[in-house]
Every structure is written in structure tokens, then in C-alpha cells.
């Protein structure tokens, strides 16, 4: 006897279902920091940096932001977690800061929005996005460590934050696309393929395997839980998970569904390109957006090369996630989930790419 067909969630009509060309005409996603707010951040950062404070141990109470904290948290909850899914802060004076001051300022902002999570097996709660000259074809290399295009993906946290310190000679544009809009388009055009993306699929952990877990996790691309549509996706890692003999095989129709997902993400009528300036902070909601970076050509001088700092945050005001996310997130407890922890991981905030 055949099982009843899975009922797709309804079309999503909220602010998270946006289209790039329309979004590019708007400026409400840009939050310019005032001189007084910048001074507040700088004072807190320089005070802690001068003491040599352990960045990974900084809490919100250590980093007082009497004017900015409430405004920032309010906008993040309304616009990032419950709205379009992203916000760009502009104006941090990174050109006059040391690396320690910049890292302290960024981390201090982050702890007002959530709990920083480990971004790799080394326990980095502060990440450095630089080209380390590594080969993306190496199954233990993650794409942010190269100069190649990343392709649209999510990170393993509620919010990913990026602080631009230096830009590349050319390329390296940020790109965003709404996974909610991709869902709507697939629902209208090919609901038969969309249904397949609600089934578990193997995704490679790229060698960063928590104790007792498989070298891949099995979470559906789309997840409908308590009225929330959430996505988790990295196509290269889905494909590379097929290297494991015990990983469930991708069938032709699953591949067709993934190819359609990718085609929609790469459709100029859906996505949005954004050029970072030094001092910009981009905050992105992983459950409703996918992000990408175009390939870039860097400067020959090491001190001029493209350099971003990154935070993965577990937000206290985040949505509920289904239990299956615990395979990747460790837990689904709001405010204490996400990140990568393996045996022997010690949390720390390095001041250079490692």
C-alpha cells in the first residue's frame, strides 16, 4: 500500500520571500552607524584590547553599548530573524584599528546578538576568511579558505556575521538569495521535485566529525517545523558525501531537484549582489537565506589582501528547529546550538588566519 503523498507547506508570503532586483533598489537593509555609536564601540574595544583581554571570553557586560545595543538588537530581531533575513552595518573605522582592536570590536558587537559558536574543528569562535592557497578539491578543505567562488550555501548557525577589513583587487562580491523564494518558485513550477528536498540527504562534514557521528549528516534541504520553513544547504558537500560507501546514494530525480535549486539560486531575477566596503558588517539569517561569494583576484602584497572576520552566532530570539538539526548543530536548544565541536576542541579567537 502506497504511503500518502507529503503535503507541501503553503506558499510563503512573508518578508523573507524577496527577489534580488527589487531588493537592490531598497536601502532599508543598510544601517549606518552614527559617530556617537562608533565612539561607543571604539571605546569599549580599545579598553579591552589594551588590557589584552581574551576575546573568546568577552561577554555583553564586558562590552557596554548603552546607546547602540537596544537599537541593534531590535533591528536584528525584526529584520534578520523575522524579516528579510539580512542587515548591513556600515561605518566601523577599521583602517585605524589594530587587528586586536578590530577583532575585539566585532566580537563585542556579536555577543550582544547571540552566543558565538565554533566555526571549525580547531575551535575558532572568530574566523578569518582569507585565501590560504588551499585546493578546494581536497576533501578536508573548506571553500572559504580559497579564492574560488563559494556557491550558494548556509552555515551551521542561526546568524553568520562578516566584518570586512580589506577587499580584493577584483571580485569577491557578496551574494545573497532567499531560500524561501526558491521554495516558492519550486512549489509553483515543480512541486514533485520540491517534495524530494524535504527528505534527508547526506552532506559531507569535510573531515570535521564530532564524536560518535558519521562523516556526513543527513538533514533535508527544506524543513517545515512549527510553522517555520528552514533550509540547510551546501551542494559541493552533498556531492562529496557520495565518496562514503555507506552514504545514501543520490538518485536521478534527487539530482534533478538539486540542479533546479541551484539554477534558481543562480537566477539573476532571484539573487542580490552586494559590494563590501572596509568597516561593513553583514548579518545573515542562515535559515532563510543562502550566501555566496564570487571568485576574486587578490593583491600581490600580503598586507593588502582580502580579509574578512566571521562570527557564527546562536541567537536568543531564534526560531525553533526540528530535532534532526541536532546532527549538525549538536543541539536544537535556542541560544545554545550550532557550530562544530570535535574531540579535543578548545574554543579560542585567533588573531590571524590558521
Amino acid at each position: 500500500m502506497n504511503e500518502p503523498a507529503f503535503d507541501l507547506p503553503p506558499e510563503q508570503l512573508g518578508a523573507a520571500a524577496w527577489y534580488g532586483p527589487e531588493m537592490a533598489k531598497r536601502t532599508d537593509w543598510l544601517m549606518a552607524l552614527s559617530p556617537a555609536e562608533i565612539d561607543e564601540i571604539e571605546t569599549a574595544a580599545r579598553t579591552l584590547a589594551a588590557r589584552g583581554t581574551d576575546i573568546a571570553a568577552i561577554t555583553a557586560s564586558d562590552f557596554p553599548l548603552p546607546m547602540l545595543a537596544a537599537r541593534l538588537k531590535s533591528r536584528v530581531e525584526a529584520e534578520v530573524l523575522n524579516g528579510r533575513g539580512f542587515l548591513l552595518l556600515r561605518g566601523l573605522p577599521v583602517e585605524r584599528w589594530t587587528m586586536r582592536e578590530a577583532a575585539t570590536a566585532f566580537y563585542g558587537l556579536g555577543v550582544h546578538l547571540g552566543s558565538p559558536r565554533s566555526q571549525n574543528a580547531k575551535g575558532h569562535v572568530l574566523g578569518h576568511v582569507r585565501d590560504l592557497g588551499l585546493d578546494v578539491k581536497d576533501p578536508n578543505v573548506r571553500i572559504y579558505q580559497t579564492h574560488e567562488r563559494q556557491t550558494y550555501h548556509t552555515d551551521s548557525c542561526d546568524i553568520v556575521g562578516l566584518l570586512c577589513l580589506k577587499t580584493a583587487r577584483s571580485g569577491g562580491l557578496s551574494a545573497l538569495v532567499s531560500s524561501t523564494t526558491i521554495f516558492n518558485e519550486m512549489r509553483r513550477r515543480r512541486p514533485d521535485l520540491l517534495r524530494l528536498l524535504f527528505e534527508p540527504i547526506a552532506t559531507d562534514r569535510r573531515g570535521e566529525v564530532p564524536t560518535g557521528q558519521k562523516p556526513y549528516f543527513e538533514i533535508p534541504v527544506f524543513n517545515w517545523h512549527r510553522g517555520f520553513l528552514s533550509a540547510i544547504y551546501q551542494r559541493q558537500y552533498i556531492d562529496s558525501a557520495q565518496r562514503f560507501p555507506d552514504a545514501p546514494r543520490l538518485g536521478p530525480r534527487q539530482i534533478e531537484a538539486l540542479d533546479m535549486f541551484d539554477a534558481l539560486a543562480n537566477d539573476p531575477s532571484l539573487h542580490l549582489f552586494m559590494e563590501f566596503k572596509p568597516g561593513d558588517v553583514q548579518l545573515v539569517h542562515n535559515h532563510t537565506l543562502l550566501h555566496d561569494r564570487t571568485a576574486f583576484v587578490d593583491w600581490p602584497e600580503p598586507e593588502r589582501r582580502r580579509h574578512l572576520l566571521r562570527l557564527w552566532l546562536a541567537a536568543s530570539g531564534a526560531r525553533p528547529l526540528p530535532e534532526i538539526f541536532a546532527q549538525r548543530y549538536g543541539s536544537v536548544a535556542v541560544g545554545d546550538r550550532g557550530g562544530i565541536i570535535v574531540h579535543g576542541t578548545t574554543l579560542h579567537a585567533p588573531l590571524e588566519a590558521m
Side-chain angles (χ1 to χ4, degrees), residues 314-329:
S316 57
R319 62 178 52 194
L321 291 174
E323 186 61 35
I324 198 168
F325 268 71
Q327 283 187 48
R328 180 59 170 171
Y329 279 50

Side-chain angles (χ1 to χ4, degrees), residues 174 202 307:
S174 170
H307 193 173

Side-chain angles (χ1 to χ4, degrees), residues 241-317:
Q242 295 295 291
R243 68 194 172 107
F244 301 111
D246 63 336
R249 297 299 94 182
L250 290 174
R253 278 174 51 77
Q254 281 179 302
I255 292 172
E256 185 180 4
L258 294 169
D259 287 347
M260 183 175 185
F261 186 103
D262 288 338
L264 287 166
N266 286 290
D267 186 336
S269 69
L270 267 69
H271 61 229
L272 168 71
F273 283 112
M274 183 184 299
E275 185 171 2
F276 285 157
K277 297 180 179 180
D280 283 353
V281 173
Q282 183 193 64
L283 300 168
V284 171
H285 190 210
N286 276 299
H287 309 316
T288 62
L289 293 191
L290 300 109
H291 57 281
D292 188 8
R293 180 203 69 211
T294 63
F296 62 89
V297 176
D298 227 335
W299 299 98
E301 303 92 343
E303 68 277 6
R304 296 181 69 186
R305 290 179 183 164
R306 184 180 189 272
H307 193 173
L308 308 180
L309 297 181
R310 183 177 61 197
L311 288 173
W312 283 5
L313 299 171
S316 57

Side-chain angles (χ1 to χ4, degrees), residues 21 27 32 38 46 75 112 189 191 198 213 218 236 262 268 270 276 311 323-324:
T27 57
I38 293 169
R46 285 187 160 163
R75 290 199 62 171
H112 281 275
R189 304 183 201 185
F198 282 84
Q213 297 285 344
E218 297 176 76
Q236 288 106 318
D262 288 338
L270 267 69
F276 285 157
L311 288 173
E323 186 61 35
I324 198 168

Side-chain angles (χ1 to χ4, degrees), residues 18-27 29 176-178 181 264-265 267-273:
W18 52 261
Y19 290 81
E22 177 188 342
M23 189 62 70
K25 298 174 185 176
R26 294 163 49 177
T27 57
W29 45 264
L176 300 174
V177 70
S178 165
T181 301
L264 287 166
D267 186 336
S269 69
L270 267 69
H271 61 229
L272 168 71
F273 283 112

Side-chain angles (χ1 to χ4, degrees), residues 121-123 211 341-347:
K122 298 175 183 177
T211 302
I341 300 290
V342 303
H343 180 70
T345 295
T346 301
L347 301 182

